[in-house]
Amino acid sequence: MSQVVLLESKKRLIQTLMQRSILLPPAFIQKLDEASISKLVSRLDDSSLPSVSSASDLLQVLRPDWSHQKAMQAVCSPSISSPQSSPSMFDPYKAGSPCPGRSHPQPISVNVDLGDISDRQRAMMESGEFKVRVISDYNEKPKKREMADFVAYFNARYKALEGLLRGRSELSGVISISRVLQKKGKENVSVIGMVMEKIVTPNTQSVILTLEDPTGTLRVLFSKKNPDIYAAVKDVCEDEVVGVIGSTGGSSDNPILFGNNLLVPDVPLTKELKKAPTDHPGYAAFISDMHVGSKQFMEDNFLKMVHWLKGTAGNEAQRALASQVKYLFIGGDLVDGVGIYPGQEEDLAIKDIYAQYRRVSELIAQLPDSIKIIMIPGNHDAMRLNEPQPSLYKDICKPVWDLPNAMLVSNPTVVNIHGNESFGGFDVLMYHGYSFDYYVANVESIRINGGYDRADLIMKYLLQRRHLAPAHTSTPYIPDSARDPLVISSVPDFFLTGHIHRTRVSSYRNVTLINGGCWQDITAFQIKTGHTPEPCRVSLMDLHTREVRLLRF
């Protein structure tokens, strides 16, 4: 009989917690006895004490070392890959706290040899008339990752993006969610929060977002009556940070905010359109996804580009144009890799990863030394998949590292090019684009307006969010406890990506968007999925006019 009573008590506790949007680990609830449940319920119902709005508020009741259930799941994940659901950013974590289903948290580690840009390469890149400076490059030393890192990572992301949103004039009067929850009656307010949950009602007449900030959670309802705002809200993904303007409503037990406007960090309208001065001309070429080693790698076409850049192919005007190319950017997937997918060996012309990188170095070595080459890794390269990816590993890619005019940097990275004493140069954000697949599948406006054919829409979407992978499940990542390296903290002049094998050039608020296409012919997998690549195209930008032309090889 006592077991039946205990079970009913646990049900009541769970219902009470759900009403307050508080989650506790099931393993923790299972171990509670009647006295502990009574103590928790009494604390939740005591109106004379400060309100309980998160799991952390209950720490003072029983004082167990537990955190948000999702953060528990994160550290319980058996691999470095990001967990299947995002942890709450704000719930505290104490070192040594128990993990459900395990006797203690299992640390996550990555053991690789990270190489920095060599002194010789750096000196070459930063000297002469046409300079390349690294602004942001991720080569942090590997270390163990624990649950606390996930919590700190999301806190760092929230803080960075909240700062960008607070810079918007529309959100000058923003208040915390806890203050909104204290409002009585109808009142216009502004809040900033991370999207915990998004629900589109079955009749598609409204969208409900659950926002979270360090002080609590709040449901926000957007009606279809405002079609422009409704369309924007439907494109929202979980875990992005947004600002909302609306009016309070609901009851004290069931508060809600009726949203009138949705704001994202976005690119300022005042972003300058930089152009190189007339006395400092030059061109930059952008490519991606070479996939050397694949049977479908179009080497003859790639060599046509090499010969053109060397000035040994093309007519007089084309050779004159080639002589003005000062920079070549390669947006990842230099090789096809080994063991990337089941049965890949049947698709490989070069089955050894070291040999694949040797061939890359042989091809790129034929380019003129006057062209500075900046390369990032991609998901097919021989390294960890989790982002940010460090620069290519020296022990595997030594022939590429030995190229005198090559700079190997992380994915993502920001470099500055073409600066001199009178001109600040251009900031180039390079990101391979592994998160793109998620947004093609899950963002309606991208999916129905071209999907994989419209890399520019994906890039615009990410720029607006000021994050390269805002949805927690869009890419595996390293939970850096100090900062989120995927935040676009400063707006670039050029945004270069790859991954989806479709060349696209566009512009958004004076940021030039370029997807570098590929050098791999259509594969059997792409035939099955109906995806048609656009190989052997080079995007060539005149740095004085910012005009981009597409060259087909």
Side-chain angles (χ1 to χ4, degrees), residues 113-360:
D113 179 21
L114 301 180
D116 294 322
I117 299 167
S118 69
D119 293 338
R120 177 173 56 86
Q121 288 174 320
R122 189 179 296 277
M124 187 279 296
M125 289 290 184
E126 295 186 357
S127 64
E129 185 181 1
F130 303 102
K131 300 179 180 180
V132 179
R133 291 187 299 111
V134 177
I135 305 300
S136 174
D137 183 50
Y138 193 91
N139 276 298
E140 300 293 332
K141 293 187 180 299
K143 66 175 185 178
K144 294 178 180 179
R145 305 288 177 176
E146 299 181 348
M147 178 172 24
D149 294 307
F150 285 95
V151 177
Y153 173 81
F154 276 93
N155 268 303
R157 176 195 292 192
Y158 175 83
K159 190 172 183 179
L161 296 176
E162 180 201 27
L164 295 175
L165 280 164
R166 283 184 177 272
R168 299 198 57 158
S169 59
E170 304 97 318
L171 294 170
S172 58
V174 69
I175 62 175
S176 67
I177 286 178
S178 64
R179 289 185 60 191
V180 174
L181 296 174
Q182 296 170 9
K183 300 289 183 182
K184 306 296 182 182
K186 188 173 182 180
E187 187 174 338
N188 291 328
V189 297
S190 303
V191 297
I192 294 173
M194 181 175 282
V195 180
M196 287 184 65
E197 185 179 41
K198 170 186 165 185
I199 299 174
V200 180
T201 57
N203 58 4
T204 68
Q205 295 302 306
S206 62
V207 178
I208 300 174
L209 302 180
T210 301
L211 300 185
E212 180 181 19
D213 77 358
T215 69
T217 61
L218 174 68
R219 292 182 305 131
V220 185
L221 185 144
F222 291 89
S223 171
K224 200 175 182 180
K225 293 178 181 178
N226 189 333
D228 292 337
I229 300 300
Y230 181 77
V233 175
K234 285 188 71 176
D235 279 350
V236 166
C237 66
E238 292 183 354
D239 307 306
E240 68 170 286
V241 180
V242 299
V244 171
I245 300 172
S247 56
T248 56
S251 63
S252 58
D253 294 332
N254 190 25
I256 195 166
L257 185 68
F258 296 99
N260 300 321
N261 198 4
L262 178 85
L263 300 165
V264 292
D266 218 332
V267 176
L269 291 169
T270 55
K271 166 65 181 171
E272 177 190 4
L273 180 64
K274 290 184 187 175
K275 295 182 180 180
T278 54
D279 61 350
H280 193 43
Y283 281 79
F286 302 87
I287 64 172
S288 188
D289 292 74
M290 293 169 60
H291 288 270
V292 172
S294 168
K295 290 179 179 178
Q296 279 72 43
F297 170 53
M298 302 174 73
E299 183 169 312
D300 290 344
N301 301 76
F302 189 86
L303 286 171
K304 287 180 182 178
M305 180 196 70
V306 170
H307 293 312
W308 168 68
L309 288 170
K310 289 170 65 176
T312 58
N315 57 36
E316 185 177 350
Q318 291 168 339
R319 292 196 299 272
L321 184 64
S323 68
Q324 298 182 65
V325 176
K326 309 302 179 185
Y327 315 93
L328 174 64
F329 292 86
I330 306 178
D333 281 0
L334 276 67
V335 299
D336 203 48
V338 175
I340 304 298
Y341 55 87
Q344 186 191 16
E345 61 275 7
E346 300 299 323
D347 301 328
L348 293 176
I350 303 174
K351 301 182 186 296
D352 178 79
I353 190 65
Y354 293 92
Q356 289 183 11
Y357 282 111
R358 280 197 300 272
R359 187 55 186 151
V360 168

Side-chain angles (χ1 to χ4, degrees), residues 65 93-99 103-105 146:
D65 288 330
Y93 171 78
K94 295 185 177 180
S97 64
C99 181
S103 58
H104 56 83
E146 299 181 348

